[in-house]
Amino acid sequence: MSTAPTAAGPATSPAIAGRSQARGPLQRAEDLAISITLVAMVVVPIADALLRGIVGVGIAAAPLIVQHLGLVAGMLGGMIAAREGRLLLLSTLGDSVLKGRAQTIARIFTGAVGCLVAVFLSVGSYQFVQAEQRFGKILVYGVPVWAIEAALPIGFAAIAARLLYRASSDWNGRLMALASAIAAGILVATVPDASTRLFVPALVTLAVATVLGTPAFVTLGGTALVLFWWSENPIAAISVSHYSLVTNPAIPALPLFTLAGYLLAESAAPERLVRVFNVLFGRFRGGPAIVTVLVCTFFTSFTGASGVTILALGGLLMPILIGARYSERDALGLVTGAGSLGMLLPPCLPLIVYGIVARIDIKQMFLGGLVPAAFMTLVTAWWGVRQGRASARAEGRFDVREARAALWDAKWELLTPVVAFAALFNGLATTVEAAAVTALYVFIVETVLHRDLGVVRDLPRVLTECGLLIGGILLVLGVALGFTNYLVDAEIPARAVDWTVSAVHSKILFLLLLNLFLIVVGCLMDIYSAIVIQVPLLVPLGHAYGVDPIQLGVIFLANMELGYLTPPVGLNVYMASYRFGKPVPTVFRAVLPIIIVLHVGVLLITYVPWLTTALPHWAAR
């Protein structure tokens, strides 16, 4: 997964980069709307749980309210991401390789394609809302469901306009992009048998636009549109899939856990945690490597975005590693590689998304990821310790007073995983309620107890950034589900199972081929697109070969973890390149040894099932 790399201003935290400094009334209104929506998503489930416990009656239809707030937050976040030029990309070739006139033409082309796809998605969403309006269904308190669903066509229309606006820095280029989009739309509407004649050209156009840097949702949504158009199915079906995914009962946990992570990253929590781990492990040979791995894993597990971890912690950890006489190459590789480790550790977003798509209990996925996450963290720390064996020396005695002071200063942050797990596994709270409790806890810690963040000064900025990330992810997930549903309707998964079972007779060989396939997928596709598109194909295959569903999920995510470190889509490589001012090939060479070590870890997770299944099966007894 890649995002358009942008620089942070001097007053901006390193974790939040690329925000526009000058904002008009519309931009401020959008930021306020996403802030209010996310705050409501925290408050409503907690208030509902408290009211049920105190007076025995909660808020009417509270889960439905929160689910539909997730729909609104997703579309608002997508609009803001489009406004800031930070929608998720599958390729950055257009900006990183092309220069001058070629780059200008590429931007106009991708802008035109993106605008056209977003317009068609808006039209399909409008048709869906029209159909829903005829049913007259009420959500709660007299608010019709269609009024909330209207966020879909409005959001896609706004995104289309912004993709068009960002297609060029001048109006001549924007008008060229608009003219191109209109010409393509007219061609689609007027050519006889257009769905057949233009099927291949449309897919080729999308492929070229993807390579040049059109957003991931354009690629996936556009492919779904072309397939539905070719098979003469209504494009409103894509919006039905989008709506069903973003209003899934577990989806609100995504922005809420992410919000907790962003609040931590934007406060002084990174400094406090680095101080704790440094005083505990820093004096030992290889200790700085252990510090780097533990702190990065902690933050990625909550933010769900390893790029944020690199931006927020890179400036703190690189000097520690260099000061311990690690080579610059090893230090760069360690910070870049450690940023992806939290992907298997609860409550990271990919675990939740996988559980939703594969229809596995999210708590079971959390338990299944614990031991593999610890194992992958351990082998990475081992590599770091080994690299530091000849250069990093233990110096001085362990300072008990400093350790006590550091632990006391960071006690509230260190309790965050305890709060999250206690809320998740106490049997009284849902996943969404647990996420809301975690977000509220971190908010109180950083704004009231530590006072690192101001409610007025900082909170709107953090809420907007969280919404931006979630909006970009939900756009991809929603349209990708439409594409996936087409594949299911076309019986592609069933055919894949039949062919694979007839060709591969060994479970061991199947697992090896699965890892090879997932490595390629991780190199070419962002993790969220991969989950929605590939998981419905792989789950039946895993069942056919007797692979435990939870183990299959952890194998999948462990391989996708490596995708963060591998070009052309590897987000960590690009983020580290941007953060430390190093060429992408230099970063990749630095992180290559960790990739090899993690591959060994993936193989052990693959062929030692109890690493994944022991905790979930024990908890289910």
Side-chain angles (χ1 to χ4, degrees):
M1 176 180 66
S2 301
T3 58
T6 46
T12 305
S13 165
I16 290 182
R19 295 298 311 281
S20 300
Q21 297 301 312
R23 294 177 298 152
L26 178 59
Q27 288 78 14
R28 289 196 295 270
E30 289 172 345
D31 291 355
L32 179 61
I34 191 70
S35 298
I36 292 173
T37 303
L38 289 174
V39 169
M41 292 180 70
V42 174
V43 171
V44 170
I46 293 176
D48 178 54
L50 289 175
L51 288 172
R52 288 199 316 266
I54 296 171
V55 299
V57 179
I59 299 172
L64 284 177
I65 293 173
V66 176
Q67 290 163 33
H68 285 79
L69 285 173
L71 166 63
V72 175
M75 294 313 298
L76 281 170
M79 291 163 57
I80 295 170
R83 181 188 85 198
E84 302 290 333
R86 294 173 59 194
L87 288 165
L88 304 181
L89 309 179
L90 293 178
S91 169
T92 58
L93 181 64
D95 283 333
S96 61
V97 176
L98 301 181
K99 304 296 179 184
R101 186 174 180 81
Q103 186 183 76
T104 300
I105 294 172
R107 286 181 175 177
I108 292 172
F109 173 70
T110 56
V113 173
C115 173
L116 186 63
V117 169
V119 166
F120 277 120
L121 290 172
S122 180
V123 170
S125 300
Y126 177 73
Q127 294 171 352
F128 164 62
V129 172
Q130 273 191 317
E132 290 284 288
Q133 191 174 8
R134 287 194 287 269
F135 288 107
K137 186 178 178 182
I138 301 299
L139 178 64
V140 68
Y141 303 125
V143 177
V145 173
W146 69 264
I148 309 299
E149 294 168 341
L152 286 169
I154 293 171
F156 279 121
I159 290 168
R162 282 164 176 174
L163 289 176
L164 191 66
Y165 183 81
R166 297 190 67 88
S168 176
S169 58
D170 60 69
W171 282 104
N172 288 333
R174 292 164 189 156
L175 289 174
M176 287 179 61
L178 177 60
S180 301
I182 292 174
I186 292 173
L187 192 67
V188 167
T190 57
V191 170
D193 299 322
S195 61
T196 301
R197 293 185 178 184
L198 299 179
F199 176 72
V200 173
L203 291 180
V204 171
T205 299
L206 282 170
V208 173
T210 299
V211 172
L212 293 178
T214 201
F217 92 89
V218 172
T219 302
L220 298 170
T223 303
L225 285 167
V226 171
L227 290 171
F228 276 84
W229 176 48
W230 175 67
S231 60
E232 299 183 350
N233 288 315
I235 61 174
I238 300 172
S239 299
V240 174
S241 299
H242 191 136
Y243 172 75
S244 67
L245 185 137
V246 297
T247 56
N248 182 287
I251 279 289
L254 298 181
L256 297 178
F257 278 127
T258 304
L259 177 58
Y262 268 93
L263 290 168
L264 287 168
E266 284 300 295
S267 67
E271 290 90 339
R272 285 190 287 271
L273 289 171
V274 168
R275 180 188 176 197
V276 167
F277 289 117
N278 198 36
V279 75
L280 293 178
F281 302 105
R283 64 180 296 274
F284 298 112
R285 186 177 297 169
I290 299 173
V291 173
T292 299
V293 169
L294 292 178
V295 176
C296 288
T297 300
F298 178 91
F299 270 91
T300 301
S301 70
F302 277 94
T303 62
S306 54
V308 172
T309 299
I310 292 172
L311 292 175
L313 299 176
L316 296 172
L317 295 172
M318 279 291 283
I320 292 176
L321 291 167
I322 298 296
R325 296 189 291 279
Y326 278 79
S327 70
E328 185 180 38
R329 178 172 176 171
D330 286 342
L332 180 62
L334 195 59
V335 172
T336 305
S340 70
L341 291 176
M343 288 293 130
L344 293 176
L345 193 66
C348 204
L349 304 189
L351 282 168
I352 299 173
V353 176
Y354 187 95
I356 292 170
V357 174
R359 299 180 182 179
I360 298 173
D361 182 79
I362 292 173
K363 294 178 182 178
Q364 291 288 91
M365 281 301 303
F366 282 172
L367 290 172
L370 278 174
V371 175
F375 179 72
M376 298 290 266
T377 301
L378 181 64
V379 295
T380 306
W382 167 82
W383 180 86
V385 170
R386 184 173 178 274
Q387 294 305 109
R389 186 176 296 277
S391 57
R393 304 288 182 186
E395 296 180 0
R397 293 184 176 182
F398 178 69
D399 190 335
V400 176
R401 182 175 298 178
E402 169 63 11
R404 187 184 298 118
L407 286 167
W408 181 256
D409 196 29
K411 60 185 179 298
W412 302 118
E413 283 87 4
L414 292 171
L415 284 173
T416 302
V418 178
V419 171
F421 273 75
L424 276 168
F425 296 104
N426 66 4
L428 301 176
T430 65
T431 303
V432 173
E433 289 170 347
V437 167
T438 305
L440 180 62
Y441 171 81
V442 175
F443 167 77
I444 293 172
V445 168
E446 304 306 340
T447 60
V448 179
L449 299 179
H450 284 301
R451 299 183 182 179
D452 292 337
L453 300 175
V455 174
V456 176
R457 182 187 69 248
D458 300 307
L459 189 59
R461 170 173 52 86
V462 177
L463 288 166
T464 301
E465 185 68 18
C466 174
L468 183 154
L469 173 68
I470 289 299
I473 291 172
L474 290 183
L475 274 181
V476 170
L477 295 181
V479 298
L481 186 61
F483 173 65
T484 300
N485 286 344
Y486 174 86
L487 296 180
V488 172
D489 291 341
E491 299 183 347
I492 302 299
R495 295 177 186 177
V497 171
D498 292 340
W499 182 87
T500 305
V501 170
S502 65
V504 179
H505 303 289
S506 166
K507 179 178 177 180
I508 294 175
L509 179 59
F510 165 72
L511 289 172
L512 179 62
L513 294 174
L514 174 66
N515 278 293
L516 293 174
F517 171 73
L518 290 176
I519 289 169
V520 175
V521 170
C523 292
L524 301 176
M525 189 177 292
D526 76 88
I527 190 169
Y528 300 104
S529 304
I531 290 172
V532 178
I533 293 174
Q534 302 296 340
V535 168
L537 301 174
L538 295 177
V539 167
L541 280 171
H543 178 74
Y545 285 93
V547 180
D548 186 281
I550 299 173
Q551 185 196 7
L552 181 68
V554 173
I555 293 171
F556 183 97
L557 294 175
N559 277 283
M560 293 300 103
E561 207 171 54
L562 295 174
Y564 276 87
L565 306 176
T566 313
V569 181
L571 176 64
N572 282 21
V573 174
Y574 292 106
M575 284 296 184
S577 172
Y578 159 66
R579 179 65 179 83
F580 302 114
K582 301 291 183 182
V584 168
T586 299
V587 178
F588 179 66
R589 285 193 296 269
V591 82
L592 186 58
I594 294 181
I595 294 176
I596 295 171
V597 169
L598 291 178
H599 271 301
V600 175
V602 169
L603 288 175
L604 285 171
I605 292 170
T606 300
Y607 290 108
V608 185
W610 64 263
L611 287 172
T612 302
T613 58
L615 275 179
H617 290 174
W618 173 79
R621 290 176 184 173

